[in-house]
Amino acid sequence: MPDISLEIKNLTKRFGKFTALDKINLTVTEGEVFGYIGPNGAGKTTTIRVLLGILQATEGGAKVFGLDAWKDAVEIHKRIAYVPGDVNLWPNMTGGEVIDLFVSLRGRHDKARREKLLKDFDLDPAKKCRAYSKGNRQKVALIAAFASDADLFILDEPTSGLDPLMEQVFQECVLELKREGKGVFLSSHILSEVERLCDRVGIIREGKLVETGTLAELRHLTRNTVHAETARPADNLESLKGIHDLHISQNKLSFQVDGDEIGAVMAHLIPFGVKRFESAPPTLEDLFMLHYSTGGA
């Protein structure tokens, strides 16, 4: 069984009377990509600052590699790589110098890997950091992280400012880390990115972790969208269990159905001569909106 890279237990963080995090519980194991999603202000960055030892928990706590995130922060930082969503660099240093500085802090430097990442991310390392755009500053941080031999990667909105092509490069790098057995904690609001990369996701809402699990586990909470066409008019659909938002136009049907009721719906339609049946599972965005719609309905 894979070892636990990161563990959060009953993590609560208050700023005065404001509760930024309310009893958060989650784990990330080696070789797992965990997606932490929610809008700005939900508590994602506050969670990461506790993991990095920048903020101390009000109650509960977090462990990284079995070490206390607050008391053992220096030791933990020897084994993690962190990329923030808004990168600030030394203006008079070149991008290459910054990358080399960060990588050298861990004492191991794979020059071939560094050169490959520079090429993949299309970054000129000779430019001064003050001349870089936001996207290029983000590339510097990503290359420095991916070129290092860390055991856990904590990425907070890491693709902010990147164009779609560079987002693709980023995703390939994360998948490579997964193949190498590294743990990745990915905070993001780009749902398609999380959906492609993550083994499990956690949805945070107003400081509370409202759902956590694999995409397969979470998808049963929402409904599949179905578009179908039958040779003869289908009747009594509205009486079936799990059917929602049914629309019928002659022999064309569209509706939503609970995931565990699809088989029964198909069995009901077959006698009417199914000419077309398209079923789309809910996306992570559907799950996300489920928890952020009014009243969670």
Side-chain angles (χ1 to χ4, degrees), residues 43-261:
K44 302 190 303 296
T45 298
T46 301
T47 304
I48 286 175
R49 286 175 177 168
V50 171
L51 292 174
L52 295 173
I54 298 171
L55 294 175
Q56 186 175 18
T58 305
E59 296 174 14
K63 289 186 176 181
V64 182
F65 313 121
L67 302 174
D68 186 274
W70 177 255
K71 296 177 182 178
D72 303 309
V74 173
E75 195 64 28
I76 289 170
H77 275 260
K78 295 177 182 178
R79 298 178 59 189
I80 66 174
Y82 165 61
V83 177
D86 189 12
V87 176
N88 291 306
L89 304 173
W90 294 276
N92 290 325
M93 293 179 67
T94 67
E97 288 170 341
V98 172
I99 292 168
D100 291 341
L101 172 62
F102 281 128
V103 174
S104 66
L105 292 176
R106 291 177 179 80
R108 289 165 288 187
H109 195 162
D110 187 338
K111 292 185 178 180
R113 187 167 186 167
R114 172 190 183 274
E115 293 306 312
K116 182 179 184 303
L117 287 165
L118 285 170
K119 181 179 179 181
D120 290 345
F121 278 100
D122 192 24
L123 180 75
D124 181 358
K127 283 188 176 181
K128 297 284 187 181
C129 291
R130 62 171 175 263
Y132 283 143
S133 64
K134 174 177 173 54
N136 280 331
R137 292 197 304 272
Q138 207 68 30
K139 291 179 186 180
V140 170
L142 287 168
I143 293 170
F146 292 141
S148 65
D149 190 21
D151 296 313
L152 175 65
F153 293 75
I154 299 177
L155 312 175
D156 187 9
E157 304 285 358
T159 57
S160 175
L162 296 187
D163 61 45
L165 182 60
M166 293 300 105
E167 286 181 13
Q168 179 73 23
V169 174
F170 163 79
Q171 291 176 15
E172 292 300 327
C173 289
V174 171
L175 292 174
E176 179 63 26
L177 294 177
K178 180 180 175 179
R179 288 190 288 269
E180 293 173 359
K182 309 291 187 180
V184 180
F185 186 81
L186 172 62
S187 166
S188 179
H189 67 272
I190 302 175
L191 302 176
S192 59
E193 179 177 271
V194 174
E195 196 165 25
R196 181 184 179 206
L197 296 175
C198 297
D199 302 292
R200 292 189 302 129
V201 298
I203 301 175
I204 185 170
R205 176 182 183 182
E206 297 176 351
K208 295 182 179 181
L209 196 63
V210 293
E211 289 291 344
T212 183
T214 66
L215 288 178
E217 290 169 342
L218 293 183
R219 276 176 170 153
H220 80 278
L221 299 174
T222 58
R223 304 160 184 164
N224 287 259
T225 299
V226 172
H227 299 283
E229 183 177 356
T230 55
R232 298 178 300 281
D235 54 20
N236 295 327
L237 265 175
E238 64 279 354
S239 65
L240 293 181
K241 182 180 177 182
I243 294 285
H244 309 272
D245 300 328
L246 175 63
H247 298 280
I248 301 176
S249 176
Q250 296 180 341
N251 294 349
K252 295 181 179 180
L253 314 167
S254 66
F255 54 88
Q256 291 185 336
V257 58
D258 296 339
D260 53 359
E261 298 294 335

